[in-house]
Amino acid sequence: MKKLLFLSLVPFLSFGQNNPNPGYWQQHVDYKMDVKMDVKKFQYTGKQEIVYTNNSNDTLHKVYYHLYNNAFQPGSEMDARLQSISDPDKRMVRTFKKEGKDIKESKISTLQPNEIGYLNIANFKQDGVAATTKVVGTILEVTLAKAILPKQKTTLSLDFQGQVPLQIRRSGRISEESVALSMTQWYPKLCEYDFEGWHANPYIAREFHGVWGNFDVKITIDKAYTIGGTGYLQNKNEIGHGYQDAGVQVVYPKKNKNLTWHFYAPNVHDFAWGADNEFIHDMILGPNNVELHFLYKNKKENLENWKKMQPKTAELLAYFNENVGQYPYKQYSVIQGGDGGMEYGMCTLITGNRAFGSLVGVTAHEMAHSWFQFVLATNETKHEWMDEGFTSYISNLAMNKVLPPKKPENPFEDSYKNYIYLAKSGKEQPLSTHADRYDLNMAYGISAYSKGEVFLVQLGYLIGQENLNKTIKRYYNEYKFTHPTPNDIKRVAEKVSGANLDWYLLDWTLTTNTIDYSIKEVSEANAANTKVIIERKGRMPMPLDVMVEYTDGTKEFFYIPNTLMRWEKPNPYTRIKGNVLKGWDWAYPTFTFEIAKPKEKIKSITIDPENVMADVNKEDNVFNQK
């Protein structure tokens, strides 16, 4: 029956590498893990066997694994970063006064031996032959017994022993909300090798890049604990805990203190789970009969919000299906745990002691990551803005749909404000900055979330909202289950619209150039016409929408093309007269055009009337007739 279940799930997914880029390839890994958890000591042991397929044209002499738990030890790189950065994550430090000074102390720095995290590796073999291993912080370096040739497979096996750290960041034990186990980044995870080479990044604070594959995982744990996580539970009628089929009565042998949970997750690039002995487990059917599981602490003050949130989660799933593409799995779990909200394959861990709107909001954002990260698997260490920014864009739109009218009419307003604040602060770094290399957490957060979101909103300004909507859907359809890069979303937008957009991707992501235009002069050209001079003060070029309102209440729209686009946007105002002016070449600092009415007939002139261009100084974007 278990084999039949595996097979019944496989056809639902596309396992092919459907990335349309010529010559594209990606590695593949199949995991088998058997894990035993001691809930009293918060320690676990496991055996792992993986079949690794080298789809590259390269011969591999080494492989690398992430050992994320090792970050939670005094003296680790993560600990050092907390002590050196001026704005450490508040969740990861203690703040107190000492001799009149505010002190921020790394929580990692004071962990005792029974509180730290670790992953110890033993008995590493390749196809049954011992290989040489070396641990460097959070990375296991393996010199293979024999090279993996192009298009060949090898079997890698190891034993591991882990300790779950106190809850400090993402993973851990006994969270502030008393969730026992948040098991994220918990196993030896193979590093990704792609067209850029190995991505054996140390775990300092940021997010991830993983190898696509299948996970077959068995977890043995105290039978009082309920688990939620990645994958499909294969033995649900033996486990119970709310997973069993309707009408099935699950009876546990009294002599058994533990249960072994068997999960299978096809075509994912990570595996996470949470567990607690006080979890309530609810399940509802969402669109396309996707099982939506909810696992949360049995706390009276939170029960109503967690119940009310469940149908909203189904509405969110429907929204993302319609506006991005179909969710490709048959289950999704929302699990209380962690230290905020964090996405994983087919599930999320979120803190649960929240107001209703906040609970739906964090679920919306983390669930949206199932599209923008867990199906469109960008490298988050290098292109975090594609993950967080695109997720913020679609989840903000979704929240306006499922919880009106509590969200503002413009759901992107805060992102624009955040970006403009950063751009004017002098502390901005390009979006191409490695996620760990930002000088400030503030700069990273605004760049990844806000500037990444503005990238998409502003793309709609450039090519039109209808083209943007088509771009998002085509991007999802063409690049799902692969590792897209910034150039891929740009190329899709170009193919959909016909516009050239290389300049936009370059300026917005590889530089800190800003957009800054002003109305420099409005004067009489002659008795019948008015001359308008617009100045470009910032380095980044843009096409311009200009709206003129006349004293009689009528309006006229002027579009100034950016010649780098080699394209003109259709008039977005169907009831307003539109004019396409000659293109503005970047090298010219000013642009002059005439309005076929005298100056006294003009009430106002506005650059970017919809306020969707991220101009860092909007005060000089409007001329008002005195």
Side-chain angles (χ1 to χ4, degrees):
M1 289 298 292
K2 294 177 183 176
K3 290 184 179 179
L4 288 175
L5 181 54
F6 286 180
L7 292 173
S8 70
L9 295 170
V10 170
F12 187 72
L13 295 169
S14 171
F15 285 90
Q17 298 177 9
N18 67 333
N19 187 304
N21 297 344
Y24 177 85
W25 53 268
Q26 64 188 31
Q27 306 293 65
H28 183 87
V29 61
D30 290 327
Y31 285 85
K32 282 189 178 181
M33 291 189 284
D34 196 335
V35 183
K36 294 178 173 59
M37 171 63 71
D38 184 332
V39 297
K40 293 181 179 179
K41 295 181 178 180
F42 297 103
Q43 295 176 348
Y44 55 100
T45 59
K47 291 184 178 296
Q48 181 189 91
E49 180 181 284
I50 69 173
V51 177
Y52 183 49
T53 304
N54 178 17
N55 288 315
S56 77
N57 291 320
D58 304 326
T59 298
L60 304 181
H61 298 276
K62 287 188 174 184
V63 295
Y64 302 88
Y65 288 74
H66 296 285
L67 307 177
Y68 295 114
N69 272 11
N70 291 355
F72 300 98
Q73 299 176 12
S76 70
E77 278 198 79
M78 187 183 283
D79 182 27
R81 181 64 167 159
L82 283 171
Q83 297 183 51
S84 64
I85 196 168
S86 62
D87 63 338
D89 189 321
K90 294 179 180 178
R91 293 166 292 192
M92 302 176 71
V93 296
R94 298 181 188 88
T95 303
F96 55 89
K97 285 190 176 293
K98 185 176 181 180
E99 299 177 354
K101 295 182 179 180
D102 289 329
I103 303 296
K104 296 175 181 178
E105 180 183 72
S106 162
K107 290 182 180 179
I108 296 176
S109 69
T110 60
L111 290 176
Q112 299 303 304
N114 66 334
E115 298 171 333
I116 65 172
Y118 60 73
L119 267 178
N120 295 330
I121 306 302
N123 198 29
F124 192 101
K125 293 182 179 180
Q126 178 191 11
D127 297 326
V129 179
T132 304
T133 63
K134 178 183 177 182
V135 175
V136 182
T138 61
I139 298 296
L140 176 71
E141 301 178 354
V142 181
T143 301
L144 295 167
K146 61 178 181 180
I148 312 172
L149 299 177
K151 318 303 179 186
Q152 298 298 308
K153 297 182 179 182
T154 195
T155 300
L156 307 174
S157 61
L158 58 84
D159 299 335
F160 61 95
Q161 180 188 24
Q163 180 167 280
V164 186
L166 289 182
Q167 181 78 53
I168 293 176
R169 187 69 181 103
R170 295 193 179 101
S171 59
R173 72 201 206 214
I174 313 301
S175 71
E176 287 189 359
E177 299 177 348
S178 300
V179 175
L181 293 166
S182 298
M183 298 298 290
T184 61
Q185 298 97 246
W186 60 277
Y187 61 95
K189 179 182 177 183
L190 193 70
C191 297
E192 178 65 291
Y193 181 84
D194 63 16
F195 71 102
E196 296 177 313
W198 282 105
H199 296 274
N201 297 293
Y203 184 35
I204 296 177
R206 302 302 179 204
E207 298 183 21
F208 316 105
H209 192 31
V211 189
W212 283 104
N214 307 311
F215 286 76
D216 186 349
V217 181
K218 293 180 179 178
I219 303 168
T220 300
I221 193 170
D222 187 306
K223 65 182 180 183
Y225 282 67
T226 304
I227 295 178
T230 305
Y232 306 102
L233 183 60
Q234 299 298 296
N235 56 340
K236 59 185 178 180
N237 289 335
E238 299 170 19
I239 293 296
H241 285 267
Y243 286 96
Q244 67 269 30
D245 292 326
V248 172
Q249 296 292 324
V250 180
V251 179
Y252 309 122
K254 290 184 178 180
K255 64 178 181 179
N256 289 5
K257 295 182 179 180
N258 298 320
L259 291 174
T260 298
W261 300 60
H262 184 191
F263 292 94
Y264 184 73
N267 216 19
V268 294
H269 51 91
D270 203 0
F271 188 101
W273 55 286
D276 195 88
N277 59 353
E278 293 182 346
F279 269 163
I280 293 174
H281 175 206
D282 296 331
M283 190 275 284
I284 66 172
L285 286 178
N288 300 328
N289 289 321
V290 171
E291 291 185 359
L292 296 173
H293 296 267
F294 303 88
L295 299 103
Y296 53 99
K297 295 282 284 189
N298 188 5
K299 299 294 183 183
K300 183 179 179 181
E301 59 271 24
N302 292 329
L303 297 183
E304 181 181 357
N305 285 345
W306 273 86
K307 295 289 185 183
K308 286 169 55 183
M309 182 256 287
Q310 294 171 23
K312 291 298 179 184
T313 305
E315 290 180 40
L316 290 168
L317 176 57
Y319 185 89
F320 299 141
N321 281 345
E322 180 181 353
N323 291 281
V324 185
Q326 291 297 305
Y327 180 69
Y329 307 103
K330 281 298 186 182
Q331 83 91 12
Y332 184 82
S333 297
V334 182
I335 307 159
Q336 187 173 356
D339 58 1
M342 185 62 200
E343 71 279 1
Y344 296 96
M346 302 166 71
C347 71
T348 181
L349 274 73
I350 64 172
T351 47
N353 298 348
R354 297 168 176 267
F356 177 63
S358 176
L359 193 62
V360 177
V362 71
T363 300
H365 182 87
E366 304 309 335
M367 189 180 205
H369 276 299
S370 291
W371 285 259
F372 294 114
Q373 178 51 21
F374 276 94
V375 175
L376 295 164
T378 54
N379 181 351
E380 294 178 283
T381 62
K382 296 184 69 173
H383 312 302
E384 64 282 350
W385 60 274
M386 294 179 70
D387 162 47
E388 296 296 354
F390 294 8
T391 290
S392 297
Y393 172 82
I394 202 67
S395 62
N396 278 333
L397 287 175
M399 282 295 288
N400 262 21
K401 177 74 172 180
V402 305
L403 279 185
K406 295 184 179 180
K407 296 288 285 184
E409 182 178 345
N410 177 6
F412 314 116
E413 183 177 350
D414 287 345
S415 287
Y416 276 83
K417 289 179 180 177
N418 291 340
Y419 161 67
I420 291 172
Y421 164 78
L422 178 62
K424 297 170 77 171
S425 71
K427 298 174 181 178
E428 184 186 7
Q429 294 170 253
L431 285 183
S432 57
T433 303
H434 188 286
D436 286 321
R437 310 288 195 274
Y438 281 87
D439 293 335
L440 297 170
N441 279 319
M442 176 273 293
Y444 165 82
I446 293 177
S447 296
Y449 291 79
S450 299
K451 191 175 182 182
E453 180 173 20
V454 172
F455 173 89
L456 275 190
V457 184
Q458 200 166 238
L459 182 58
Y461 167 80
L462 295 176
I463 64 175
Q465 187 62 42
E466 184 178 350
N467 280 333
L468 174 61
N469 296 343
K470 291 177 180 178
T471 294
I472 291 171
K473 291 180 179 180
R474 181 169 172 178
Y475 173 57
Y476 179 79
N477 184 60
E478 292 188 356
Y479 289 91
K480 58 188 175 184
F481 301 118
T482 68
H483 295 295
T485 66
N487 192 64
D488 295 328
I489 181 68
K490 185 264 291 186
R491 288 293 293 132
V492 172
E494 289 180 330
K495 292 172 185 177
V496 167
S497 66
N500 288 354
L501 296 167
D502 197 58
W503 62 274
Y504 179 59
L505 183 67
L506 188 154
D507 272 73
W508 195 251
T509 67
L510 300 181
T511 78
T512 55
N513 292 346
T514 58
I515 301 166
D516 187 7
Y517 286 89
S518 71
I519 299 176
K520 183 177 184 179
E521 179 184 323
V522 179
S523 58
E524 291 183 0
N526 51 52
N529 292 352
T530 301
K531 181 174 74 173
V532 179
I533 301 176
I534 296 177
E535 181 179 13
R536 178 184 55 77
K537 296 180 175 180
R539 291 192 182 96
M540 184 167 176
M542 291 289 283
L544 295 185
D545 290 357
V546 180
M547 186 67 75
V548 178
E549 184 175 2
Y550 300 111
T551 54
D552 63 2
T554 60
K555 295 180 178 181
E556 190 171 5
F557 173 71
F558 293 84
Y559 176 69
I560 306 173
N562 172 2
T563 54
L564 293 172
M565 291 180 71
R566 313 299 170 193
W567 184 82
E568 297 170 1
K569 180 173 67 175
N571 182 2
Y573 302 99
T574 56
R575 297 184 179 181
I576 298 175
K577 179 185 176 182
N579 305 272
V580 177
L581 304 178
K582 68 176 183 179
W584 186 349
D585 295 319
W586 178 85
Y588 297 97
T590 61
F591 183 89
T592 302
F593 71 99
E594 291 189 5
I595 299 171
K597 284 195 177 184
K599 183 179 177 182
E600 63 267 19
K601 298 292 184 179
I602 297 172
K603 180 180 179 182
S604 65
I605 303 172
T606 304
I607 298 173
D608 181 28
E610 300 300 320
N611 201 28
V612 288
M613 191 171 67
D615 192 306
V616 296
N617 181 18
K618 298 179 183 293
E619 293 180 0
D620 53 10
N621 287 16
V622 180
F623 164 81
N624 288 307
Q625 186 75 270
K626 295 179 181 179

